[in-house]
Amino acid sequence: MIHHQTPFVFEVMNAPLPKDIYWQNVGLPHQTQQIGYLIAQIFTTGLCLFWTVPVAFVSSFSEVDSLKNMIPSLEEAINNYRWIEPLLAQLNPLLIILLKMMLPYILTKFCEREGHISKTELNASLLTKLALFLASFL
């Protein structure tokens, strides 16, 4: 039961089903939940700000000519083995996809620190973070 700001009004929520309970967060003190929420928000914001670093690094693989300039011995290897150049050209999209696949797992760890009691609340928080994260890069 949560006290409402208007007297004699209550906000009542159904308890989650036993299979939906995230047991690691049951019984956490309220202060621990608040600190976990704050830390998760800080880490999520930091991840949004610094996500461009690994993406820029992976994007540098998209231009094979620039890689040849950075690594002079690579040009000799490409001349000897023609299959290396198409492989390097396909490496960039694959690594970008890999980074985007890792994002939900990273954000899930942040959401677990927020102290949600049910897996449904945890997934809703994850979806919100993912939507905000992807919208911030549009």
Side-chain angles (χ1 to χ4, degrees), residues 15-70:
L17 296 173
K19 66 180 181 181
D20 190 37
I21 294 176
Y22 189 69
W23 291 103
Q24 288 86 346
N25 288 342
V26 172
L28 286 178
H30 185 67
Q31 184 178 8
T32 304
Q33 288 178 343
Q34 286 182 326
I35 291 171
Y37 180 79
L38 179 65
I39 290 172
Q41 296 305 317
I42 290 170
F43 281 1
T44 302
T45 304
L47 185 65
C48 283
L49 294 174
F50 295 112
W51 187 254
T52 55
V53 173
V55 170
F57 177 73
V58 167
S59 295
S60 69
F61 293 132
S62 65
E63 296 294 325
V64 178
D65 292 332
S66 66
L67 281 175
K68 288 180 188 178
N69 293 337
M70 288 173 32

Side-chain angles (χ1 to χ4, degrees), residues 40 107-116 122 125-126 129:
L107 291 176
T108 298
K109 292 300 175 190
F110 295 166
C111 291
E112 288 173 355
R113 299 291 301 160
E114 292 180 352
H116 298 292
L122 194 137
S125 176
L126 172 64
K129 283 181 178 40

